[in-house]
C-alpha cells in the first residue's frame, strides 16, 4: 500500500499544474460536450504511458536521441495553432455558454484530446521517464504504477465533471472571453518553452550541430 499511495500522490501532484491538456478538459466540462470520452482518453493514455514507464520503456528515448526534440517541435506547432484558435474566439467574444459557443464534434474532440496528450513531450518525460524511474525504487513497482494510474482517473474525471459547478460563472460572455484568452496564453507559453527546449535538445543530440552552434 505504501508504494500505491506514493504513486497516487506523486501522479496527482504532477498533473495538477495548469497545462494544455487540463485546459482542454476544463473547457469540454464547461461546455458539457463529450466529457466522458475526453476524460477516458486522458486517463487511459496516462495509464498506457505509466505502464510503459514502469516496464522500462524509457530506454527508447535514450536509444533515439533525435526523438524527443522532434516531438517537442511537433507539439509546439500544434499548441501554437490551437492557441491562435483560442485567441480568435476571445477576440470575437459575444457568446455565453449555450448561446452560440460552438462545441467540437465527437470526432473533433477525440482527435484534439489525443493530440494534446500524445504530442506533448512533457507527458513522456513525466510518465514514462520520471514515474518509471521512481517506481524502480520500490519493491513492488507495479503497485506504484497502479497508484499513479488511479490518480489520473480521479483527477481528469473530477476536472471534467466538476467544471459544471462553474457553469453560472460562464453564463456571461466576458467569462468565456477571459477563458479563451487564458487558454491562448497557456498554449503559446508552452509552445515557446517546447521550441526553446527542443532546439537545445536537438543541438545536444547531434555532435555535428553541437560543434557548429556551441563555441
Amino acid at each position: 500500500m505504501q508504494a500505491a499511495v506514493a504513486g497516487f500522490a506523486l501522479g496527482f501532484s504532477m498533473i495538477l499544474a495548469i497545462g494544455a491538456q487540463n485546459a482542454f478538459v476544463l473547457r469540454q466540462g464547461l461546455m458539457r460536450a463529450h466529457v466522458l470520452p475526453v476524460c477516458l482518453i486522458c486517463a487511459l493514455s496516462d495509464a498506457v504511458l505509466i505502464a510503459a514507464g514502469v516496464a522500462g520503456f524509457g530506454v527508447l528515448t535514450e536509444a533515439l536521441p533525435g526523438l524527443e526534440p522532434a516531438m517537442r517541435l511537433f507539439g509546439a506547432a500544434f499548441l501554437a495553432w490551437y492557441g491562435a484558435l483560442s485567441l480568435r474566439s476571445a477576440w470575437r467574444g459575444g457568446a455565453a455558454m449555450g448561446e452560440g459557443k460552438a462545441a467540437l464534434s465527437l470526432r473533433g474532440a477525440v482527435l484534439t484530446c489525443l493530440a494534446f496528450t500524445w504530442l506533448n513531450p512533457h507527458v513522456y518525460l513525466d510518465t514514462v521517464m520520471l514515474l518509471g524511474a521512481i517506481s524502480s525504487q520500490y519493491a513492488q513497482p507495479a503497485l506504484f504504477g497502479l497508484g499513479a494510474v488511479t490518480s489520473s482517473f480521479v483527477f481528469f474525471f473530477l476536472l471534467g465533471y466538476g467544471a459544471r459547478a462553474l457553469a453560472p460563472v460562464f453564463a456571461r460572455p466576458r467569462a468565456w472571453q477571459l477563458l479563451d484568452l487564458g487558454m491562448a496564453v497557456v498554449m503559446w507559453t508552452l509552445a515557446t518553452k517546447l521550441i526553446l527546449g527542443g532546439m537545445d535538445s536537438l543541438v545536444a543530440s547531434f555532435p555535428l550541430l553541437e560543434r557548429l552552434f556551441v563555441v
Side-chain angles (χ1 to χ4, degrees):
M1 286 300 297
Q2 182 181 1
V5 171
F8 183 94
L10 181 58
F12 198 89
S13 64
M14 288 173 63
I15 60 178
L16 189 60
I18 296 175
Q21 185 187 50
N22 295 351
F24 179 73
V25 175
L26 175 63
R27 193 177 195 280
Q28 291 299 114
L30 289 169
M31 298 284 294
R32 301 188 181 185
H34 318 301
V35 179
L36 178 60
V38 165
C39 291
L40 278 176
I41 288 172
C42 292
L44 290 175
S45 295
D46 271 7
V48 171
L49 292 167
I50 291 170
V54 172
F57 189 69
V59 296
L60 177 62
T61 57
E62 297 178 3
L64 300 174
L67 178 62
E68 193 265 339
M71 288 170 51
R72 283 179 177 270
L73 296 179
F74 278 114
F78 173 76
L79 290 174
W81 170 76
Y82 196 89
L85 293 182
S86 297
L87 184 62
R88 184 183 65 175
S89 180
W91 177 263
R92 290 178 176 178
M97 185 169 59
E99 298 177 1
K101 289 299 294 185
L104 291 172
S105 64
L106 176 59
R107 180 174 180 272
V110 168
L111 291 177
T112 303
C113 187
L114 287 172
F116 275 129
T117 302
W118 293 91
L119 290 180
N120 181 8
H122 289 300
V123 171
Y124 298 89
L125 295 175
D126 291 343
T127 56
V128 177
M129 301 297 291
L130 182 57
L131 288 177
I134 295 176
S135 69
S136 64
Q137 301 177 12
Y138 291 86
Q140 296 176 309
L143 289 180
F144 179 91
L146 180 61
V149 168
T150 303
S151 72
S152 291
F153 275 88
V154 171
F155 175 81
F156 285 116
F157 277 89
L158 279 177
L159 181 63
Y161 286 97
R164 297 181 179 183
L166 298 174
V169 176
F170 286 89
R172 299 190 296 270
R174 178 65 66 182
W176 274 107
Q177 283 185 288
L178 292 176
L179 177 65
D180 287 329
L181 181 61
M183 288 188 66
V185 172
V186 169
M187 302 304 169
W188 284 350
T189 300
L190 293 174
T192 302
K193 290 182 178 180
L194 288 178
I195 291 174
L196 296 177
M199 293 304 295
D200 292 340
S201 300
L202 186 63
V203 170
S205 298
F206 297 97
L208 178 60
L209 290 178
E210 192 168 15
R211 286 196 294 270
L212 289 174
F213 290 99
V214 179
V215 179

